[in-house]
Every structure is written in C-alpha cells, then in structure tokens.
Amino acid sequence: MGVDYYNILKVNRNASEDDLKKAYKRLAMIWHPDKNPATKRSEAEAKFKRISEAYDVLSDPLKRQIYDLYGEEALKSGQFPPPPPASSSNSFTPSSSSRASHFRQNNHNHPSSSFRFNPRDAEDIYAEIFGSESASSGSGRSSSRGRGYRDGFFRATNGTSDFSVHGSGGSGAQRKANAVENLLPCSLEDLCKGIKKKMKISRNVYDSFGKSRTVEEILTIEIKPGWKKGTKITFPDKGNQEPGVIPADLIFVVDEKPHAVYKRDGNDLVLNQEITLLEALTGKVLDLTTLDGRNLMIPLTEIIKPGAEMVVQNEGMPISKEPGKKGNLRIKFDVQYPSRLTAEQKTDLRRVLGGIL
C-alpha cells in the first residue's frame, strides 16, 4: 500500500467527506508552515504537504477508489491490473475487501487507463477549505480573489485583524485572536545599558492527534539601550491555539520602574540635588554614580541660587535611533537654609557678607 493516507488524517476507512474535512482542518491548523517557528518550518512544511496530499486523494472519489483498490503506487503511476471477468465480478476481492467495499457499493467503474494522477497544490487546498468556512460562517470577510489579492497573496480588508494566506489557488480569511499584552518592568539601568531578559510562558497547543496540551517556552527579549516606556516587542502567534483561529500575538510592553536617584524626561535624566547654603556659596564637588556604573565628578564653582539648574551634556539616556548619542543630565538644586541661627552666627554673617551683598 505504501503511504497510509487514512492514518495521516487520523480517520477510519469509512470516513465521510465531512469527517475528512474536519480532520484536515484540525491538522492543517497545527502544521501549516506559517503557524510554526522558523526552527520547525522544514518539519511543518513536510507534514503539511503529507496532510494535504492525503486529503486530496481521499476527498476525490476516483482517486480514493484507485487508492483503496490498488494502492499508492498504482494511483501515482496510472498502471492498474485488468478488471475482473464479469462472471466473477461479485466475488472479486482485493487484498483488503473492506477498503474497496465503500466504492463497490457506489458502483464505481474500473478506472480508465487514461487516468493521470495530478496532485493539487497544498496551499490551494488550505485556501479553499478555510475560505469556504469563512464565507459560510457569515463573518463578513471577503473570500474571493477580487479585492486585496495580488501576486498569490491575499490580505483581508474587512474586520479588525490583518492577516494573510499565501497560495496560488483560492483564498480565504481566517479570524486571528486578539493580541495579548503583558507589561515588562525594566529598571533605568536596563534601559540605559540594554539587557536580554528571558520570559517563561505557558500556552495551549494541539498535537498531531488534535489533542490540546500545555507547553512551556522560554522567550528571549533583547532590550535595546535607550528604549522608552511603552515600547512594544511582539512575538507573532505565541498565544493559545484554538481550532479554526490563528493564535494571538504575544506583546510585551516596556514599563519603567521608578529610580531612587534619577528621573527620565525623554532622552534627558533629571537629578534633584540638595546642597546646603554654605555649599551653595562656597562650592563643592558632586560625586555621582551613573546608570552605567561610572563615577561622575562634577565641581560646583559658581554660587548656586535656589531653583538653579545645571546641564551636563551627553550624560543622559542613550538615543535609540541615533547610536552613540545621548541626552543631557539636568541637575536641579534645592538649597537648604539653616532652620535657626544664634546671635553670634548672625553677627559673623553680617561681618562677612555685609560688604558684598
């Protein structure tokens, strides 16, 4: 017999047209190449083609008759044994009479010697099956080649989701589940230096028998230096699988954790720095630790007035769209005045400052 098409589709040998279509839909949703990661694409393509060939043969009455009676080799070569004599037609039994009974009951004739096996394109079958399903479900999505089809590529133009089906034959629209968003908390240090984060996810998938199971997967997210709050990282089709629905995209949204020292303002960093009145008048050296771990020494040589702001060029956040460039560090000063002075301290201040103020 060679290839067992019934086993590939997981159906019995008396499977009806409806049984075959249901089996094909279930398996095609699992093994279509577009629904598998790049690492499994070769395996998925091979299994998808086998599933499609099995459906092509078993859903076509003549191909199925030839396959059931004479096997895969005869089907593809077009070479059949001669028909049995009329007198023994009722007693003719191939190697497995049960395989042929379905077709003898339907009075199919012996296949013609002019028969040629022409397999259908796997993507044509996929588009036909899921296209007809969408049209009959009343979803309102176009299932014809007219609008949105160009160069073998169909993109839905109705509904809330954009998706595509590739193929040279018919086309169809299939609903895609709504995207799932998750916050990805990041420290300012992470967003300054960049980092790779590993996220463990669990999702439901269907195996080759159509049974649902939960799988765990580690996703690697590379945070680029300078990324801002709200940046989205999308992993296509990493949501739960459901029959007849394209899995949702899994989206991680960058969220910024509060920092104990710095606050971000666009590409700038803002630092609120308290200094005493004495330091404001006589100067000091600020010793700061940057987000990337460097020690930054900033001398204060001028008199600092309350509410003053100092700008340190190129010490802010990296600018993600301009590699090598950074924003600025803005230091806002809060001058702390003494809560009280003694009579002696007041006299000394009058003596020191009286001539310059």
Side-chain angles (χ1 to χ4, degrees), residues 141-281:
R141 300 179 190 273
S142 171
S143 62
S144 68
R145 276 196 177 191
R147 187 171 63 175
Y149 191 94
R150 182 173 62 83
D151 297 334
F153 177 87
F154 177 83
R155 179 169 293 279
T157 54
N158 301 332
T160 59
S161 299
D162 250 356
F163 55 92
S164 59
V165 176
H166 297 270
S168 58
S171 60
Q174 183 185 352
R175 184 172 70 84
K176 183 177 178 68
N178 293 330
V180 178
E181 293 192 357
N182 295 281
L183 286 180
L184 181 65
C186 298
S187 67
L188 268 183
E189 285 85 355
D190 293 341
L191 297 174
C192 177
K193 295 182 291 185
I195 192 174
K196 287 185 178 180
K197 288 180 174 284
K198 294 187 180 295
M199 306 294 291
K200 186 177 182 179
I201 66 168
S202 297
R203 62 193 186 107
N204 295 330
V205 301
Y206 286 84
D207 60 22
S208 58
F209 297 96
K211 184 178 180 181
S212 177
R213 61 189 177 93
T214 300
V215 298
E216 294 184 339
E217 186 176 353
I218 303 295
L219 301 180
T220 300
I221 305 173
E222 185 174 358
I223 304 297
K224 300 291 186 181
W227 274 6
K228 297 178 181 178
K229 180 178 179 178
T231 300
K232 295 184 177 182
I233 308 99
T234 301
F235 291 87
D237 301 342
K238 285 297 183 181
N240 291 328
Q241 285 186 357
E242 297 178 32
V245 180
I246 299 174
D249 293 343
L250 185 58
I251 301 175
F252 291 94
V253 183
V254 171
D255 191 28
E256 187 178 290
K257 296 179 184 178
H259 195 273
V261 178
Y262 299 101
K263 183 178 180 180
R264 185 174 187 174
D265 183 10
N267 293 319
D268 291 347
L269 288 174
V270 178
L271 170 65
N272 292 316
Q273 180 68 44
E274 290 185 354
I275 59 173
T276 66
L277 177 60
L278 178 62
E279 292 169 338
L281 296 173

Side-chain angles (χ1 to χ4, degrees), residues 25 128-139 173-174 244:
K25 288 178 182 177
E128 176 186 296
I129 293 296
F130 287 99
S132 62
E133 179 186 55
S134 295
S136 62
S137 66
S139 65
Q174 183 185 352

